[in-house]
């Protein structure tokens, strides 16, 4: 919600913080163009949120708030940082994302207590070497560059990292092999980078539970990825994949796998091993058939197959009795399967957009006479 008088609201909050000795202060979203001088007295502050304002610069005295452990500066118009911020040696979390600095200052590497650093969407072309001293970092977010940008080798020495992201880079970002040393990583975000291949070193990161590779230009996955058996989330949507490897079925810890908007013509039989997945979205691919093993995913509640080239559904899909939503729009189904009523949990069935319009077996026409739900389901094929 927009604040009509941001500076006035800021002063009210600052004065209250001073009276009560509160350790946190949020001036988020007040459209401030400068910080009130009154703030410099709040030397007791531990957390300060200045995100979503219109600040172009910060006062030097901000560096006197040496008790700060968390500082959010994201979504402003900052073109630089005052050097006195080097005094904030207690800072553990610093968010500089979505600003406009010409460069990252070398002194940032002196903030050795940092564990969480976001430099996302700063239009960077390089990182200062001094950041290699931030060996306590557990989270690092980079990206948002529209110019050539290579990750330096020394990032692979930040072995305390558990979360690392480089996203939204164009042209593709350079990823050094040293990143394979980040074996404590549980989360890796490499989406929206125009990547054409996944580096082999990714298979070294066996602690990964979340891997984001969406919206790239990937045509295949490296064999080394089969070692990532701890993965619970894998995002591969919006790529150029035409097939998936059989070893994908070895990643049995998966509870989320995103595959829509690729060029898949088939699915591996081993997909039936991913029994922890509650929903499967496969829309906008080029699937002409489905493996019967898909029927082994008896925990599925949602299955989206719209926008493919399916002419029939394998009968083992009748075992998906937990399905509540089944989307078959925009395919080439010749006939509505007679066993569909076995999916007793269905609340949503979409059949429209199949060309030619699928025929309905006599048993289903009979069922539709007595079941308003099935009458509605079958009517959807006429849309």
């Amino acid at each position: 919600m927009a604040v009509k008088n941001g500076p006035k609201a800021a002063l009210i909050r600052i004065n209250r913080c001073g009276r009560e000795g509160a350790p946190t202060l949020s001036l988020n979203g007040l459209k401030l163009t400068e910080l009130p001088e009154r703030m410099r007295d709040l030397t007791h502050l531990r957390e300060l949120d200045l995100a979503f304002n219109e600040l172009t610069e910060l006062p030097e005295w901000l560096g006197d708030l040496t008790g700060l452990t968390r500082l959010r500066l994201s979504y402003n118009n900052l073109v630089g940082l005052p050097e006195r911020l080097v005094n904030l040696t207690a800072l553990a979390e610093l968010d500089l994302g979505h600003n406009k600095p010409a460069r990252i200052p070398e002194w940032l590497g002196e903030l050795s207590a940092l564990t969480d650093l976001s430099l996302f969407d700063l239009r960077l072309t390089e990182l200062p070497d001094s950041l290699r001293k931030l060996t306590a970092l557990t989270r690092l977010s980079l990206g948002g560059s529209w110019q050539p940008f290579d990750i330096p080798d020394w990032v692979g020495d930040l072995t305390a990292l558990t979360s690392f992201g480089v996203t939204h880079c164009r042209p593709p970002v350079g990823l050094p092999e040293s990143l394979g040393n980040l074996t404590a990583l549980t989360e890796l975000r490499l989406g929206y980078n125009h990547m054409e291949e996944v580096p082999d070193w990714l298979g070294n990161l066996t602690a990964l539970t979340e891997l984001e590779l969406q919206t790239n230009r990937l045509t295949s996955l490296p064999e080394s990825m089969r070692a990532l058996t701890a993965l619970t989330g894998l995002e591969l949507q919006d790529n150029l994949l035409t097939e998936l490897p059989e070893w994908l079925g070895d990643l049995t810890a998966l509870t989320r796998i995103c595959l829509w908007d690729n060029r898949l013509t088939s699915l591996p039989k081993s997909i039936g091993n991913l029994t922890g997945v509650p929903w499967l979205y496969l829309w906008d691919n080029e699937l002409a058939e489905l493996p019967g093993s898909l029927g082994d995913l008896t925990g599925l509640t949602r299955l989206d197959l719209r926008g493919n080239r399916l002419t029939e559904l394998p009968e083992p899909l009748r075992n998906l009795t937990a399905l509540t939503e089944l989307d078959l729009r925009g395919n080439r189904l010749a006939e509505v399967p007679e066993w569909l009523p076995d999916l007793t949990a269905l609340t949503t069935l979409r059949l429209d957009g199949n060309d030619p319009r699928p025929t309905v077996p006599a048993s289903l026409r009979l069922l539709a006479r007595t079941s308003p739900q099935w009458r509605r389901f079958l009517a959807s094929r006429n849309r």
Side-chain angles (χ1 to χ4, degrees):
M1 181 180 295
V3 176
K4 290 184 179 179
N5 193 332
K8 182 178 179 180
L11 282 174
I12 291 172
R13 296 182 192 183
I14 291 167
N15 289 332
R16 183 170 62 240
C17 180
R19 287 194 309 271
E20 299 175 356
T24 64
L25 174 63
S26 175
L27 302 180
N28 186 306
L30 297 185
K31 296 187 176 181
L32 300 177
T33 58
E34 61 181 3
L35 297 182
E37 185 85 7
R38 170 74 177 87
M39 277 183 61
R40 70 186 306 162
D41 298 327
L42 303 181
T43 54
H44 64 281
L45 274 182
R46 296 295 177 265
E47 300 185 9
L48 178 58
D49 187 350
L50 298 173
F52 292 97
N53 280 291
E54 298 173 3
L55 301 169
T56 57
E57 61 180 4
L58 298 172
E60 287 284 348
W61 54 254
L62 191 63
D64 298 334
L65 306 184
T66 55
L68 284 175
T69 61
R70 182 173 185 263
L71 179 58
R72 286 194 67 202
L73 297 169
S74 53
Y75 291 96
N76 278 283
N77 296 310
L78 296 172
V79 295
L81 298 172
E83 188 168 355
R84 206 187 299 179
L85 294 189
V86 73
N87 296 330
L88 303 182
T89 55
L91 267 188
E93 180 180 341
L94 177 60
D95 187 351
L96 293 171
H98 302 277
N99 278 288
K100 301 175 181 179
R103 60 182 181 83
I104 298 298
E106 288 283 345
W107 56 255
L108 193 62
E110 302 304 318
L111 304 183
S112 58
L114 281 176
T115 60
D116 189 334
L117 177 61
S118 176
L119 302 175
F120 180 76
D121 194 22
L122 300 185
R123 304 296 193 262
L124 299 178
T125 57
E126 62 179 0
L127 296 177
D129 279 349
S130 64
L131 298 191
R132 70 193 312 158
K133 294 188 284 186
L134 301 180
T135 55
L137 281 179
T138 59
R139 295 181 59 87
L140 178 59
S141 297
L142 304 170
S145 177
W146 293 86
Q147 302 180 62
F149 179 57
D150 291 337
I151 304 299
D153 281 339
W154 54 255
V155 173
D157 297 331
L158 304 179
T159 54
L161 284 173
T162 59
S163 175
F164 179 52
V166 187
T167 65
H168 295 83
C169 289
R170 183 177 182 180
V173 66
L175 299 173
E177 191 171 351
S178 63
L179 296 184
N181 299 331
L182 303 179
T183 55
L185 282 182
T186 59
E187 180 184 29
L188 179 60
R189 302 178 308 282
L190 296 174
Y192 305 93
N193 281 329
H194 297 260
M195 289 171 54
E196 295 183 355
E197 60 182 8
V198 178
D200 280 333
W201 53 254
L202 197 64
N204 296 343
L205 309 182
T206 55
L208 282 178
T209 59
E210 294 285 332
L211 177 58
E212 297 181 7
L213 296 169
Q214 73 273 30
T215 315
N216 281 295
R217 297 176 178 175
L218 304 178
T219 57
S220 63
L221 302 177
E223 180 82 10
S224 64
M225 279 182 61
R226 71 186 309 159
L228 305 183
T229 54
L231 280 180
T232 58
L234 177 57
E235 301 204 9
L236 294 168
Q237 70 271 25
D238 192 20
N239 275 289
L240 304 174
L241 298 171
T242 57
E243 61 180 2
L244 298 172
E246 278 292 336
W247 55 255
L248 189 69
D250 297 336
L251 308 185
T252 55
L254 283 172
T255 58
R256 187 181 80 259
I257 182 168
C258 305
L259 296 168
W260 63 85
D261 199 10
N262 274 283
R263 298 179 181 179
L264 297 174
T265 58
S266 63
L267 298 175
K269 183 179 179 180
S270 65
I271 200 168
N273 298 337
L274 305 183
T275 54
V277 174
W279 48 263
L280 190 56
Y281 293 161
L282 291 162
W283 74 69
D284 288 345
N285 277 288
E286 299 176 9
L287 297 170
E289 60 181 1
L290 300 173
S293 60
L294 206 59
D296 296 333
L297 303 182
T298 55
L300 277 183
T301 59
R302 285 182 272 176
L303 179 58
D304 195 329
L305 296 165
R306 65 186 136 138
N308 279 285
R309 301 176 181 180
L310 300 172
T311 57
E312 61 180 359
L313 300 180
E315 187 168 351
L317 264 61
R318 72 192 309 164
N319 298 327
L320 303 182
T321 54
L323 269 187
T324 59
E325 299 179 25
L326 177 58
D327 197 333
L328 297 168
R329 287 177 289 171
N331 279 284
R332 302 172 184 178
L333 295 177
E335 183 179 50
V336 179
E338 194 167 9
W339 47 260
L340 272 185
D342 292 349
L343 308 183
T344 54
L346 271 185
T347 58
T348 301
L349 173 63
R350 301 294 302 272
L351 292 164
D352 43 308
N354 276 273
D355 187 19
R357 188 173 64 179
T359 61
V360 179
S363 61
L364 288 184
R365 290 199 300 271
L366 185 62
L367 176 62
R369 293 179 184 176
T370 58
S371 169
Q373 181 187 48
W374 274 93
R375 191 157 53 247
R376 175 169 53 85
F377 285 168
L378 295 180
S380 74
R381 73 192 180 98
N382 297 321
R383 294 180 192 145

